């Protein structure tokens, strides 16, 4: 069995993203947008309308996407055909 490290494939999904798409920037942008909507407008319903898509975006890119990338990259390893059968 050949490990991903031996083939030169990194299983860290953040190695494939630019600086502006790292976890810290996603978290900072999302929190900034939600807080900014509250600080500017002081309307709970507007902040809620901003928070729903922003939180969905954050959950996808911070929780779901990395798992999908790791699964995809691990399928690229040479022994992937053995795991599929």
């Amino acid at each position: 069995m050949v490990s991903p490290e031996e083939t030169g494939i990194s299983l860290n999904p953040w190695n494939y993203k630019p600086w502006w798409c790292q976890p810290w920037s996603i978290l900072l942008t999302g929190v900034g947008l939600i807080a900014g909507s509250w600080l500017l407008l002081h309307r709970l319903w507007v902040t809620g309308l901003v928070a729903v898509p922003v939180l969905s975006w954050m959950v996808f890119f911070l929780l779901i996407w990395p798992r999908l990338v790791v699964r995809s990259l691990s399928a690229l390893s040479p022994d992937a055909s053995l795991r599929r059968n």
Side-chain angles (χ1 to χ4, degrees), residues 16-45:
Y16 302 102
K17 300 301 273 183
W19 67 269
W20 47 266
C21 199
Q22 295 295 319
W24 63 268
S25 65
I26 294 170
L27 193 61
L28 187 63
T29 302
V31 170
L33 287 171
I34 295 168
S37 72
W38 174 253
L39 292 173
L40 287 173
L41 303 172
H42 294 287
R43 299 283 185 254
L44 188 58
W45 67 272

Side-chain angles (χ1 to χ4, degrees), residues 50-67:
V50 170
V52 169
V54 170
L55 288 173
S56 299
W57 167 73
M58 290 171 60
V59 165
F60 179 78
F61 281 106
L62 292 175
L63 300 176
I64 299 170
W65 178 81
R67 291 180 186 154

Side-chain angles (χ1 to χ4, degrees), residues 6-22:
E6 293 173 9
T7 61
I9 297 173
S10 172
L11 289 181
N12 183 356
W14 303 111
N15 288 343
Y16 302 102
K17 300 301 273 183
W19 67 269
W20 47 266
C21 199
Q22 295 295 319

